[in-house]
Amino acid sequence: MDSYDALYGSRFLAATDLKTPVSAVIDRIEQKTFARDGGPARRKAILHFRNKTKGVVLNKTNAITLSSAFGKDFSAWIGKSVTIKPENTTFSGKVVMALRLYPAQGAASHPPPSEPLESAHDEMSDEIPW
């Protein structure tokens, strides 16, 4: 039987989905417009990862961090390794959990998805079902 989170959880990765940092390889990036109650709609990038079902909505803090390492052209980010960490941050004066993305140590490009990923597969064999 499916869990509550599987049925009602978000289709995007959240800090509460992770207990420890994980490594992932960027597979593709799409853009989506999100409407906010009473506020203007905003266009955001969504990172999708190899062998993962949930994407990450890229906030400005994470976009700045990754663009400093990978450049501002999103297409150059494909195949790059990142470390995703749940961290405390301050939002509206309150401490909340958030996802922080960092270039993985030695974040070199990985081969395109059509090629075998022998060493990257070991890195991606975590037990987290996202």
Side-chain angles (χ1 to χ4, degrees), residues 3 6 15 21-22 24 27-28 32 38 58 65 74 89 102 104 107 115 117 119 123 126:
S3 70
V22 296
D27 185 52
R28 65 186 168 87
K32 179 175 171 47
L58 196 63
T65 299
F74 284 148
T89 190
Y102 301 99
E115 296 180 24
L117 296 172
S119 62
E123 178 180 327
D126 56 13

Side-chain angles (χ1 to χ4, degrees), residues 28-76:
R28 65 186 168 87
I29 302 170
E30 64 181 0
Q31 294 184 26
K32 179 175 171 47
T33 301
F34 291 89
R36 295 181 5 177
D37 292 338
R42 293 193 179 193
R43 195 158 180 82
K44 297 200 177 223
I46 302 168
L47 302 184
H48 295 274
F49 304 98
R50 290 187 191 159
N51 305 317
K52 304 296 180 192
T53 57
K54 289 187 176 186
V56 171
V57 178
L58 196 63
N59 64 23
K60 191 165 187 175
T61 299
N62 289 327
I64 290 168
T65 299
L66 295 181
S67 67
S68 294
F70 303 146
K72 292 186 178 182
D73 180 1
F74 284 148
S75 65

Side-chain angles (χ1 to χ4, degrees), residues 22-27 47 49-50 65-66 69-70 76-84 101-111 117 119-121 123-124:
V22 296
S23 294
V25 177
I26 299 171
D27 185 52
L47 302 184
F49 304 98
R50 290 187 191 159
T65 299
L66 295 181
F70 303 146
W77 296 18
I78 306 303
K80 302 288 187 184
S81 293
V82 295
T83 299
I84 307 168
L101 280 69
Y102 301 99
Q105 293 287 357
S109 292
H110 286 274
L117 296 172
S119 62
H121 178 69
E123 178 180 327
M124 302 303 294

